[in-house]
Amino acid sequence: MKLLYPLNTLDTILLSLMLLFLVSCSKTGNEDNDTESDSQLTTVDFAEMSDAEKTIAFSDIAKNISHVKLETNENVLIDNINKIKLTKNFIFISDFSNLYQFSKTGEYIRKIGNKGRGPGEYIHISSLEINENHGKIYVHCSTRKKLLVFNLNGEFCHQFNLPQINELAFVRDSLFLAHANVLVGNEEYIFYLTNPSSDTIPVVENHFNWEHKSDHVMGIFGDNSPYYRFQENLYFKDTYNDTIYKFDSDSLSHTPVYYIDLGKYDMPDKKRLSYTVDPDKFKKYCDDYYQVNVKESNDYLWIQYYTYNYFTQSEPAYGLYNKNQKKGFTIVDSKGEKSRIVNDFTAGEDFWPLLIQENTMIDYIQPFEIKESLSDSVENDSLVKLPGRRDSLRKIVSQSNKNDNPIIRIVTLK
């Protein structure tokens, strides 16, 4: 297996471990799945899931909800949250251009780093990783090709230069799993390990190869990360790939665990925008195929899917796959329209998790967006399963101004 960059700074033990897992490199895309762990591979019938429709509410799958109002002051004005990270003592919030640290009860602590091009500065936040055990915050800026390291007190420690990478996930020590978008067709790898010295070793090869015939690059990008964590393990899936892999940080090996069988909704390689380099041609069939993003909790795979039509991108569809029953469904509302989880705990905004940590789900709502639904007490109160939580939310919203920071919703699953 060819190395992308010379491994001239990794120690002998780490090199040996990494070489061990080269043997298990898996294929992606429309190639056959790695047969090494076929017995552990679960197939998710996407066509069946997309055709089966069901209305589902908080009370069907969850047992509690709590709300954390993020403090608003002149130093922290958040519009749309891009990333949320919860640790034992803190809430970290990124709005793509800034990183803020709050207490678990929402008090503002500090802004971490600054926007700019100098040391300790970033243009935007492509990846955010918190290692509470080592007291480190990793901020990856793909535009500037650098990884910034801060401590939990927000102090800048150092930074490293990296090659062009879409997103990073922390593995261990100074190792990261990198994701690279396939843009011109001759990329060798979609996922690979790298370190702050830019030593690189392949994990998942790129099998989407074509002859790039244009002087510019075009591609489809979703809003979701290719990574998620479940039961302290790292999982990863590329937008175009149909396989979810589990990464073992001890052995540095990866195992295919879920195969998302898109069937007729799987876009053929030769119809991809990057292949055709013709937006008008691509528009004719971009609504016919889906790209899928997945998160995981104890009982479910949380599946968000949307078409490749970024020209008139509409709200994604949402589905749940029951891991015990090995069946899934698309979520719809009472009118049969595609929907999120119905919020019958407090009424108001429906729910889809931005983050899942074990059996805890997190998203956010804007105070001004839910004022109307909360004031409609006669109609909604009869539907509320947790009236005490609704009263608490009403109080938070009544004390909020139009431009106040969001409210974090934390939902505990059954």
Side-chain angles (χ1 to χ4, degrees):
M1 184 66 66
K2 180 181 176 182
L3 299 182
L4 297 183
Y5 297 92
L7 287 166
N8 53 3
T9 62
L10 295 179
D11 59 53
T12 305
I13 296 176
L14 179 57
L15 177 58
S16 300
L17 285 171
M18 296 176 86
L19 290 176
L20 279 175
F21 105 113
L22 284 178
V23 180
S24 63
C25 280
S26 303
K27 293 184 177 182
T28 65
N30 297 325
E31 301 289 323
D32 292 338
N33 288 296
D34 190 347
T35 58
E36 176 188 12
S37 303
D38 280 350
S39 61
Q40 303 175 34
L41 190 65
T42 298
T43 297
V44 177
D45 190 328
F46 177 83
E48 181 182 81
M49 187 205 77
S50 62
D51 291 338
E53 296 181 344
K54 183 178 178 181
T55 300
I56 189 165
F58 272 154
S59 58
D60 296 319
I61 60 173
K63 59 185 180 182
N64 199 9
I65 186 171
S66 59
H67 301 88
V68 178
K69 175 67 169 65
L70 299 178
E71 179 186 342
T72 302
N73 61 50
E74 61 182 8
N75 297 313
V76 52
L77 296 173
I78 302 170
D79 185 11
N80 292 315
I81 294 176
N82 178 251
K83 299 180 187 297
I84 300 177
K85 298 289 184 180
L86 263 62
T87 67
K88 181 179 179 181
N89 299 309
F90 304 110
I91 302 173
F92 292 90
I93 300 291
S94 165
D95 62 1
F96 195 70
S97 298
N98 304 283
L99 176 59
Y100 302 106
Q101 184 178 13
F102 295 85
S103 72
K104 292 298 283 287
T105 53
E107 289 83 10
Y108 172 69
I109 298 176
R110 62 177 61 89
K111 180 180 177 181
I112 297 174
N114 292 292
K115 190 169 183 177
R117 301 172 184 272
E121 297 178 333
Y122 43 81
I123 301 300
H124 67 267
I125 299 173
S126 309
S127 310
L128 172 63
E129 290 281 57
I130 314 293
N131 188 323
E132 197 167 21
N133 292 331
H134 293 92
K136 292 291 189 293
I137 301 168
Y138 299 97
V139 177
H140 168 229
C141 177
S142 61
T143 303
R144 303 303 298 166
K145 300 181 183 180
K146 62 184 181 182
L147 177 67
L148 310 177
V149 183
F150 300 86
N151 63 28
L152 293 182
N153 293 323
E155 297 166 337
F156 174 64
C157 300
H158 42 261
Q159 73 180 45
F160 304 99
N161 295 323
L162 294 171
Q164 184 64 53
I165 295 170
N166 181 36
E167 286 199 50
L168 285 174
F170 179 80
V171 174
R172 73 177 199 210
D173 304 322
S174 57
L175 271 179
F176 294 83
L177 184 63
H179 173 248
N181 280 316
V182 179
L183 295 175
V184 298
N186 62 356
E187 293 87 350
E188 293 186 74
Y189 305 100
I190 300 176
F191 291 97
Y192 53 88
L193 284 174
T194 189
N195 65 7
S197 299
S198 294
D199 302 321
T200 308
I201 199 164
V203 175
V204 175
E205 294 181 32
N206 168 37
H207 289 269
F208 300 109
N209 294 307
W210 65 87
E211 180 184 355
H212 191 66
K213 301 178 180 179
S214 174
D215 57 358
H216 59 278
V217 172
M218 307 182 74
I220 300 296
F221 304 97
D223 297 328
N224 293 285
S225 171
Y227 307 105
Y228 70 84
R229 295 185 187 273
F230 174 63
Q231 294 183 345
E232 300 183 359
N233 292 304
L234 175 64
Y235 292 77
F236 60 96
K237 175 191 175 298
D238 179 69
T239 297
Y240 293 111
N241 189 8
D242 50 23
T243 304
I244 301 172
Y245 297 95
K246 176 182 177 181
F247 194 87
D248 188 312
S249 60
D250 293 324
S251 64
L252 300 181
S253 62
H254 64 292
T255 305
V257 288
Y258 293 104
Y259 166 59
I260 311 296
D261 184 4
L262 290 172
K264 65 181 180 180
Y265 299 110
D266 187 12
M267 178 177 285
D269 292 352
K270 291 186 177 182
K271 286 191 173 183
R272 291 180 54 201
L273 176 58
S274 294
Y275 185 94
T276 62
V277 198
D278 186 346
D280 291 331
K281 182 178 179 181
F282 185 78
K283 287 180 184 179
K284 296 177 182 179
Y285 52 77
C286 62
D287 284 316
D288 299 334
Y289 308 102
Y290 288 107
Q291 48 184 315
V292 174
N293 182 266
V294 180
K295 297 181 178 69
E296 187 170 358
S297 62
N298 287 349
D299 295 325
Y300 297 98
L301 294 182
W302 298 70
I303 299 176
Q304 176 179 335
Y305 61 96
Y306 40 98
T307 71
Y308 286 88
N309 188 352
Y310 73 89
F311 306 100
T312 58
Q313 189 65 264
S314 58
E315 180 74 9
Y318 304 92
L320 288 181
Y321 176 82
N322 190 308
K323 299 191 307 188
N324 301 313
Q325 299 176 2
K326 298 190 182 302
K327 289 185 178 180
F329 56 88
T330 292
I331 303 171
V332 295
D333 59 21
S334 59
K335 298 178 181 179
E337 300 292 331
K338 289 181 171 57
S339 174
R340 305 184 183 204
I341 304 290
V342 174
N343 176 12
D344 62 346
F345 278 175
T346 64
E349 293 291 308
D350 292 338
F351 180 92
W352 188 258
L354 183 61
L355 173 70
I356 298 179
Q357 291 189 183
E358 304 312 322
N359 242 26
T360 300
M361 306 186 300
I362 300 98
D363 82 336
Y364 71 96
I365 48 179
Q366 300 287 2
F368 68 89
E369 291 179 349
I370 61 173
K371 272 192 174 182
E372 184 176 347
S373 63
L374 288 174
S375 63
D376 188 6
S377 58
V378 176
E379 179 181 353
N380 289 327
D381 281 358
S382 63
L383 306 176
V384 169
K385 302 292 185 181
L386 299 178
R389 294 297 190 188
R390 179 174 170 83
D391 291 342
S392 298
L393 181 59
R394 266 203 187 108
K395 183 177 180 180
I396 292 173
V397 171
S398 68
Q399 297 172 347
S400 300
N401 296 316
K402 180 179 179 180
N403 296 321
D404 273 6
N405 284 328
I407 299 168
I408 303 298
R409 291 194 293 187
I410 303 174
V411 177
T412 307
L413 294 168
K414 292 179 178 178

